[in-house]
Amino acid sequence: MSNVIKDLDLENYINSLERASQYLLSLIEASRDPLFAIGTTGKIMDVNEASVLATGVSKQQLISSAFVTYFTNPKQAKTAYDLVFSEGFVTAFPLTIKDHKLTDVLFNGAIYKDENGKTIGAVMIARDITEQKKIENELTEAKIIAEKATKNAEEAVKTKQQFLSNMSHEIRTPMNAIIGFTKVVLKTELNAKQKEYLMAIKMSGDALIVLINDILDLAKVDAGKMTFEKTPFKLHLSIKAMLHLFETKIQEKNLQLITNYDSRIPDVLLGDPIRLHQIILNLVSNAVKFTNKGNITVNVTLLEQTQDKVILKFSISDTGIGIKEKKINEIFDNFRQATSSTSRLFGGTGLGLAIAKQLVEAQNGQIEVKSELKKGSIFSFTLEFGKTNADAVLEPEIIELNTDIKNTKILVVEDMELNQLLMKTILDDFGFECDITANGKLAIEKLETKKYDIILMDLQMPEMNGFEATIYIRNVMKLEIPIIALTADVTTVDVEKCRAVGMNDYVAKPVDERLLYSKLIAYSKKPTLSGKSSKGEKLQKVTSKYIDMSYLNKLTKSDPNLMSEIIIAYLKQTPSLIMTIKNSLENKDWKTMQAAIHKMIPSFSIMGINPDALIMAKKIYEYAFTIEINEEINALVLELEKSCSQACLELEHELKKIKKYSGENK
């Protein structure tokens, strides 16, 4: 009986294997993908027709042969089925079938067991990924091409930027000499025709500098090198200051300038006032250029406000020539003006609006234009600013100074002979002593043997440039001498780099003589000692003079009669202007105060009045312009009166000396 049972069990087991095999066979043939049934030893137990087609080997030859022999990488194929038997499955395992076209496949596989749970083999299904690989390869190639194109474009932008930067320096250097020497010659005795020709040269040079600046600004934005500061500033004062620049031109053209400022705008904002100035200056300049009658209106409106930020809308409208409707979409393009005759009639590069647009959009703002031919245009843009409780950044206070510049020694570091001659001419004209050297290395040698009060340092020079020389002077020589950079590339030079290496200031080429003079005066004056020393000793305060006759001497060529005439005129006008300012403050007559300050300021530089007085006068003017009344304006007016009174006393003394000298030499 027991033998009969055993025979039945064996028969059932065989039948189950046959059923499993039959089921497996039906699964195998149902798949359109190559399918392999593999035993635990790696031999092929069965395959479907798709496997035969894929390998190009008959079914009889495939069965009982080793699985790994049909792939380009047998070791990798063995790893695949080892993983199946060790882990129970495998997914997306890459192999390449060794057929006539080397078909790339991804294998998915899993083990199968008998009724007792014993692993019998594994089923491996290959998904043909030839098309997928082809697409991937095409995408990879496309990506490589795109990356190469992007890299080439970036290199092209860098090359263009470098080219423009180099060209700027090369163009500005001779322009510096041309404009500089033109100014020098204009100071000499000339007949009317000579003066006319020289003025034409100067105007042409100034126009070329504007063109260079526009091109470099555009290149800087294109190259992504334009950075934006987050500085606390008073927007209403910035707007007023900017619009002052157009007063003369607007008066010349008999135009009216109207300003509307939203009083809801916070007093101090956080943003980049310099870039904002650049945008508004471009747009207002454009409006002034194309308007011959009527008015120009500047509106600043608060659009949105949250706890942390404000969104403002700036609009500049004019009653000028307007723009044709079909040309409006092109007006912000580079080098584009409304018509071909526009440039001929009104001048300009056609870059101002392009630069304004890119500066606005680089700060996530929007700019637009509405215009009607012969009726005018409205350019408007929106910008976001942060809100802050910080004080607005003001010009640094100038401490009490000693105004004696006669013994001031200046070292000029400049490699171009023409510019060396120009700087020597200008500095001699100012009354400074100066030495000239051609590069940073020679400058260091000079500093090792001689003491100087100021260095004027060109940035681009052979052997050792201005940055390298400054680093050596500050870090190795440990000298704190003021260093003013002379740069022909002020729109692209990294001003922060100048500061980082230890430079105190910079002056752009072509050199503005008045600006250079004021900076040299400021840096040449030695701070007076006040307060306590490190040992706690009281130091006696040195009284500084309130006037400096150097500029007046040069201006008049030391003509005693002319000097006396100018001093007498100053002594006559100043007390009455001070009285007008005091009365205006008492009566809150801001326009009269503005007018008095406006008349007073030009005389400060002529008479060499202490720079503190100029700063005070400008602050009073600023308060008067914005009708901003506070305790400081009262103190400023009193201080200005004190400074001017002291200056008048010193000038009376100088006048006596001049008259005495003039009488002795008659």
Side-chain angles (χ1 to χ4, degrees):
M1 184 68 178
S2 61
N3 290 334
V4 173
I5 293 170
K6 286 180 181 179
D7 289 341
L8 286 171
D9 288 341
L10 180 60
E11 187 177 346
N12 289 335
Y13 178 70
I14 292 168
N15 289 336
S16 69
L17 285 177
E18 287 178 352
R19 286 196 299 275
S21 178
Q22 197 65 35
Y23 178 67
L24 180 61
L25 185 61
S26 64
L27 285 175
I28 289 171
E29 291 302 335
S31 175
R32 293 186 178 181
D33 293 323
L35 190 151
F36 299 82
I38 306 170
T40 54
T41 60
K43 299 285 186 182
I44 298 174
M45 295 171 59
D46 209 342
V47 294
N48 65 354
E49 191 61 30
S51 298
V52 172
L53 293 172
T55 58
V57 180
S58 67
K59 189 171 184 178
Q60 290 77 12
Q61 288 177 295
L62 286 169
I63 293 173
S64 298
S65 63
F67 173 73
V68 299
T69 57
Y70 300 100
F71 301 95
T72 56
N73 191 333
K75 286 184 179 180
Q76 196 175 1
K78 184 176 185 304
T79 301
Y81 77 70
D82 282 347
L83 275 172
V84 174
F85 287 115
S86 62
E87 301 294 332
F89 67 93
V90 70
T91 57
F93 195 97
L95 289 172
T96 303
I97 296 175
K98 198 163 53 176
D99 59 356
H100 64 284
K101 59 181 180 178
L102 300 177
T103 305
D104 291 311
V105 295
L106 290 177
F107 267 103
N108 294 307
I111 59 173
Y112 63 92
K113 302 178 181 181
D114 62 14
E115 293 175 347
N116 298 319
K118 182 181 178 182
T119 299
I120 303 172
V123 176
M124 303 280 283
I125 303 174
R127 173 58 52 89
D128 187 343
I129 58 167
T130 304
E131 281 302 313
Q132 183 180 330
K133 288 281 271 187
K134 183 180 177 183
I135 293 168
E136 283 179 4
N137 289 336
E138 288 174 354
L139 287 172
T140 301
E141 288 177 10
K143 186 179 178 182
I144 291 169
I145 292 169
E147 286 175 351
K148 189 175 180 181
T150 302
K151 187 177 179 181
N152 288 342
E154 288 173 352
E155 288 297 324
V157 169
K158 285 179 183 177
T159 302
K160 180 180 79 171
Q161 174 69 9
Q162 188 61 49
F163 170 76
L164 288 170
S165 181
N166 291 341
M167 284 304 297
S168 163
H169 187 269
E170 294 303 319
I171 294 170
R172 280 174 177 269
T173 297
M175 284 307 302
N176 178 44
I178 292 167
I179 295 174
F181 279 115
T182 301
K183 289 178 180 176
V184 170
V185 177
L186 279 168
K187 291 178 184 177
T188 63
E189 293 183 13
L190 302 165
N191 62 41
K193 211 65 177 171
Q194 288 170 330
K195 193 167 185 179
E196 182 184 340
Y197 292 155
L198 284 167
M199 285 302 297
I201 293 170
K202 183 181 177 297
M203 288 173 65
S204 298
D206 290 340
L208 277 172
I209 292 300
V210 170
L211 174 61
I212 294 164
N213 286 345
D214 280 351
I215 293 171
L216 287 170
D217 270 350
L218 186 69
K220 196 172 182 184
V221 177
D222 285 345
K225 296 289 180 69
M226 191 69 79
T227 56
F228 298 94
E229 301 289 335
K230 292 290 181 185
T231 306
F233 72 104
K234 289 188 176 183
L235 177 63
H236 66 292
L237 296 183
S238 279
I239 297 290
K240 300 293 183 188
M242 278 185 284
L243 297 181
H244 282 321
L245 299 175
F246 295 96
E247 282 180 356
T248 304
K249 192 67 177 176
I250 285 171
Q251 288 169 7
E252 284 177 5
K253 300 184 80 172
N254 292 318
L255 301 174
Q256 185 179 6
L257 178 64
I258 302 166
T259 307
N260 299 313
Y261 189 87
D262 196 330
S263 60
R264 298 173 300 161
I265 298 170
D267 187 40
V268 180
L269 297 176
L270 199 63
D272 193 328
I274 303 301
R275 300 304 176 202
L276 177 63
H277 291 184
Q278 199 170 358
I279 297 163
I280 293 176
L281 288 175
N282 272 324
L283 296 180
V284 175
S285 176
N286 190 70
V288 173
K289 185 192 298 182
F290 296 112
T291 306
N292 291 319
K293 63 179 180 177
N295 55 64
I296 292 163
T297 305
V298 178
N299 292 310
V300 187
T301 311
L302 178 67
L303 292 183
E304 294 179 32
Q305 182 171 200
T306 66
Q307 187 175 352
D308 303 319
K309 67 180 182 181
V310 295
I311 296 176
L312 306 181
K313 182 176 183 179
F314 301 82
S315 298
I316 293 89
S317 58
D318 63 62
T319 54
I321 62 173
I323 307 164
K324 290 180 181 179
E325 187 177 352
K326 64 180 182 180
K327 294 289 184 179
I328 286 178
N329 292 332
E330 303 173 0
I331 204 69
F332 290 111
D333 293 348
N334 296 346
F335 304 101
R336 193 60 82 95
Q337 293 186 332
T339 66
S340 58
S341 63
T342 302
S343 181
R344 184 177 68 253
L345 294 173
F346 296 94
T349 61
L351 282 175
L353 293 178
I355 292 166
K357 180 175 187 288
Q358 295 197 44
L359 286 174
V360 169
E361 292 179 348
Q363 297 177 84
N364 300 316
Q366 293 181 324
I367 189 168
E368 61 180 8
V369 57
K370 295 177 182 177
S371 187
E372 193 173 343
L373 200 62
K374 297 181 181 179
K375 290 190 176 181
S377 306
I378 303 173
F379 286 85
S380 58
F381 64 95
T382 57
L383 280 181
E384 181 183 297
F385 297 92
K387 293 170 72 174
T388 179
N389 294 321
D391 292 331
V393 173
L394 300 173
E395 290 185 5
E397 293 292 328
I398 297 178
I399 55 180
E400 192 173 350
L401 301 166
N402 172 13
T403 59
D404 185 9
I405 64 165
K406 292 179 182 177
N407 297 318
T408 300
K409 297 177 181 66
I410 297 174
L411 176 62
V412 178
V413 191
E414 165 68 64
D415 63 313
M416 300 294 293
E417 288 186 22
L418 202 56
N419 284 335
Q420 289 176 356
L421 179 58
L422 175 62
M423 291 309 298
K424 181 167 175 46
T425 304
I426 291 172
L427 293 173
D428 285 347
D429 221 17
F430 290 161
F432 292 104
E433 292 182 34
C434 77
D435 285 339
I436 310 285
T437 189
N439 59 55
K441 186 178 177 183
L442 295 174
I444 289 165
E445 291 175 6
K446 285 269 190 187
L447 288 166
E448 287 171 343
T449 58
K450 189 173 178 180
K451 186 177 179 181
Y452 294 93
D453 298 296
I454 301 172
I455 299 174
L456 291 175
M457 181 81 76
D458 190 26
L459 296 181
Q460 295 189 29
M461 295 177 291
E463 287 197 65
M464 180 182 278
N465 64 37
F467 294 115
E468 294 165 342
T470 302
I471 290 169
Y472 189 91
I473 291 165
R474 294 291 189 240
N475 299 336
V476 179
M477 302 183 77
K478 305 293 183 185
L479 296 179
E480 295 182 3
I481 179 174
I483 301 175
I484 301 174
L486 293 173
T487 172
D489 194 13
V490 74
T491 55
T492 54
V493 69
D494 188 353
V495 176
E496 287 303 319
K497 186 178 178 183
C498 287
R499 291 174 184 156
V501 299
M503 292 184 182
N504 300 83
D505 211 331
Y506 70 91
V507 175
K509 296 178 184 177
V511 171
D512 181 326
E513 288 184 37
R514 301 303 294 271
L515 177 63
L516 177 63
Y517 182 77
S518 65
K519 291 194 177 187
L520 290 176
I521 290 291
Y523 285 108
S524 67
K525 295 170 182 175
K526 314 298 187 293
T528 60
L529 300 173
S530 60
K532 292 185 178 181
S533 70
S534 58
K535 295 180 180 179
E537 300 166 334
K538 291 260 182 175
L539 295 171
Q540 186 178 1
K541 190 173 182 181
V542 179
T543 303
S544 66
K545 290 181 67 179
Y546 279 76
I547 62 165
D548 173 11
M549 301 294 288
S550 301
Y551 186 74
L552 185 59
N553 270 303
K554 294 301 173 185
L555 183 69
T556 61
K557 294 182 169 52
S558 298
D559 181 336
N561 294 326
L562 185 54
M563 287 179 73
S564 297
E565 190 178 339
I566 292 172
I567 291 172
I568 290 167
Y570 179 83
L571 292 172
K572 183 180 178 181
Q573 76 168 26
T574 302
S576 62
L577 288 173
I578 288 291
M579 187 57 67
T580 301
I581 291 166
K582 290 173 71 177
N583 291 337
S584 300
L585 177 61
E586 188 177 339
N587 300 325
K588 297 182 174 56
D589 183 354
W590 309 116
K591 285 190 176 179
T592 302
M593 181 182 281
Q594 273 182 261
I597 293 285
H598 190 72
K599 289 177 183 176
M600 179 181 282
I601 286 175
S603 65
F604 285 2
S605 58
I606 296 171
M607 308 311 300
I609 304 296
N610 190 303
D612 285 343
L614 179 60
I615 290 172
M616 286 187 281
K618 284 183 175 179
K619 282 187 177 180
I620 294 167
Y621 187 88
E622 187 178 273
Y623 286 133
F625 197 93
T626 56
I627 316 177
E628 187 172 328
I629 310 166
N630 58 27
E631 293 179 4
E632 189 180 0
I633 192 170
N634 294 290
L636 285 169
V637 169
L638 289 173
E639 281 296 317
L640 183 63
E641 181 184 18
K642 179 184 172 184
S643 296
C644 289
S645 298
Q646 182 62 35
C648 286
L649 287 173
E650 292 178 17
L651 283 169
E652 285 172 358
H653 179 68
E654 291 291 336
L655 187 60
K656 288 177 183 176
K657 285 167 58 178
I658 292 169
K659 286 181 177 178
K660 183 180 178 182
Y661 174 79
S662 178
E664 288 174 352
N665 286 278
K666 277 185 179 179

